[in-house]
Each structure stands twice: as structure tokens, then as C-alpha cells.
Amino acid sequence: MKKLCYHFILSLTLLLNYSCSSDSDLDFTASPTDPTTIGAGFLLDISYGTDADQTYDLYLPQNRTLNTKVIILVHGGGWTSGDKADMNNFVELIQADLPQYAIVNMNYRLANETTSPFPMQLDDITALINQLKERNEEYIISEDYAFLGTSAGGHLSLLWSYAYDTEADVNMVASIVGPTNLADEAYLNNADPTIQAYIDLLGTEVVIPLLESFSPFHRVTSAAPPTVLFYGGQDPLIPNSQGMDLSDRLIQLGVTHEFTFYPEEGHGWIGQNAIDTWVKFTAFVQEHH
């Protein structure tokens, strides 16, 4: 069996056997009706806005058509740090195990003491999606998207898919240890300065309705796309209630979903559980995207 390699959230090793042409080899003029003329390739640091952080990397499979679906990767980092490079190993895994999909690995503007992450980072996802739609014929890809987000990126992926996808373009969303309810009592009554610092990002006038408005748990509806969730029971940043409560809510709403809880894992895991996560994620993608 291959050994899988995850950086940031999951950490294993993997020997990959694939090749990717340079961006100069991309053929955006080939006819989508003749996929045999279309080669694989990638473009890096494509701008989707005026800020230096509003960029994405695009990886396009060989023989794609206007029906080729897209997986969007959203990195973590507590909304204040991180980079799309943190997700590069997911790019490699998808290219190896799900080679028929196009991949978008995005950066977004980072929050700080004076700049709230919300709705800024959600607006960034909207801007990215809009550009992908505008360029879908140029890239030769569809307008069908899936999200894979880790930690804060999992939160953003869930929230955008549940509350900001006004045209129902998202076929599925995956969260690995992403916060789901910022109004959770486990957060509001916390004594951890790291967790409190994340709450403080929203400003000095934080009220429950504001926290709920940026919480996937409170924004999800029965129209939500299929969702796959992965959480650890010993996570110091994500209370157990975050994944469990969202899973229960999805059951109540009748939303197709899978929830995997690893009781002894923290904010990331290695070994057999990492393999289990990837196997379940790829199976979910193949069924729902």
C-alpha cells in the first residue's frame, strides 16, 4: 500500500509517480469536443483580486472537457496565517488518486488585529469562484466545485458552501478539523488564550448573533451539499461538540453526510487513521462529485 503524505494536518510519506507539464505546455485553445488534443499542466499564482494574497494555483488534468469537475483546496492557519503551499501534498494526492479532477489551491487575505476574517475571506472565495466561472471555457473545466478545507479552511469551506453558494455550484464539501460553531459554549467559556485570540479577531463588540452568522452549524439548511467531516477527540483547538453537533444537525436536516471521529487524535493525525481519512475522502468525492 502507498504511504500517504500530509503536511499541516496529516503527516505520512508517499512515493508518487506522476508528471505535470509546465504552464508553457498548456493548450487553452484546444476544442473541448476533442479531449485527446488537450494536455495536462498547471498555472501558479493566478490573481483573482488586487491584493497580493488573492492568488491561486491551477492544476489541469489531461483530456479534460467542459464537464471536468474542480476540487478547491482551502488552507488553515487560524484565519491569520498559513499559505496555499501548506496544501501542496493534497494536490499531489489528488493528482495520484483522483486524476480526472482539476485542482484549485487558493490563498486568501489574512486577518489581523485590525482586520476581521469575516466576511473578507468569504468574499475572497466568492471572487475566486466568479473568476473560475468567467474562465471555465478558457481553462476547459466545468462549473461544478468541491471543497476540501483544513482547520480554519474547513470552517470557510463549510460556511461558504452552506450560506454563500447562491447558485448551488458546490457538489460536496469536506472539513478536516474545521470549526463549525463559533457560538459554542465551549468557546465562549474557554480559558485558553489561543482560542480566545481567535474569537477576538471578530472585534470588541462580539455578540452571539454575529458569531452565529459566521458559523456553519447555524447557517446550514436542508439544501446543503453532501458533507464529509473528520475530527479528533483530543483536539486542543476544536471541542468535540464542533464536529458532533454539526453531524447531528445534518442528520436532522436530511443532508447527505459522513462523520468520522478519531477519539485519540488531536488537531491532525498520522498512520492508519490518516490513511483512513484519505480513503474515505476519495470515496466520497467519487460518489458525490
Side-chain angles (χ1 to χ4, degrees), residues 47-268:
S47 295
Y48 65 89
T50 58
D51 192 276
D53 285 333
Q54 293 175 306
T55 63
Y56 62 97
D57 299 337
L58 176 67
Y59 301 86
L60 297 168
Q62 187 175 4
N63 298 344
R64 64 192 179 280
T65 71
L66 291 176
N67 293 319
T68 294
K69 297 176 180 179
V70 182
I71 298 175
I72 300 173
L73 306 178
V74 189
H75 70 79
W79 304 286
T80 63
S81 63
D83 187 87
K84 55 185 169 61
D86 299 331
M87 304 295 282
N88 282 346
N89 287 292
F90 283 104
V91 173
E92 295 176 349
L93 287 165
I94 293 168
Q95 288 180 315
D97 295 337
L98 298 166
Q100 68 273 37
Y101 293 93
I103 307 165
V104 171
N105 189 11
M106 72 174 296
N107 268 344
Y108 49 86
R109 289 172 291 174
L110 300 176
N112 54 44
E113 293 179 353
T114 61
T115 305
S116 173
F118 318 128
M120 176 179 69
Q121 293 170 355
L122 297 154
D123 292 341
D124 281 356
I125 295 177
T126 299
L128 170 74
I129 293 289
N130 288 341
Q131 183 174 112
L132 293 176
K133 286 185 171 184
E134 291 168 0
R135 297 184 178 180
N136 80 297
E137 292 189 2
E138 175 187 352
Y139 293 155
I140 313 177
I141 56 174
S142 74
E143 297 182 10
D144 293 320
Y145 310 107
F147 279 98
L148 168 59
T150 59
S151 196
H155 164 268
L156 294 171
S157 297
L158 291 169
L159 183 56
W160 198 91
S161 299
Y162 291 171
Y164 290 77
D165 180 21
T166 57
E167 297 185 13
D169 293 315
V170 178
N171 288 344
M172 59 151 285
V173 56
S175 168
I176 301 177
V177 299
T180 67
N181 182 8
L182 302 182
D184 192 328
E185 288 293 327
Y187 278 148
L188 298 179
N189 298 325
N190 82 88
D192 187 320
T194 300
I195 294 176
Q196 188 58 46
Y198 293 144
I199 300 297
D200 291 343
L201 286 173
L202 297 177
T204 58
E205 301 299 327
V206 174
V207 293
I208 297 299
L210 176 66
L211 294 175
E212 291 179 347
S213 70
F214 295 119
S215 295
F217 174 83
H218 293 282
R219 299 301 301 273
V220 66
T221 70
S222 60
T227 301
V228 59
L229 306 168
F230 302 94
Y231 290 83
Q234 306 301 316
D235 194 325
L237 298 177
I238 309 298
N240 291 350
S241 53
Q242 295 285 294
M244 292 178 174
D245 288 354
L246 179 58
S247 178
D248 290 344
R249 181 67 175 143
L250 294 172
I251 292 172
Q252 293 172 356
L253 293 170
V255 175
T256 298
H257 85 290
E258 293 181 8
F259 171 60
T260 301
F261 184 74
Y262 303 107
E264 301 304 319
E265 301 292 4
H267 200 63

Side-chain angles (χ1 to χ4, degrees), residues 5-12 85-90 150:
C5 175
Y6 294 53
H7 278 194
F8 181 63
I9 292 296
L10 308 176
S11 178
L12 292 175
D86 299 331
M87 304 295 282
N88 282 346
N89 287 292
F90 283 104
T150 59

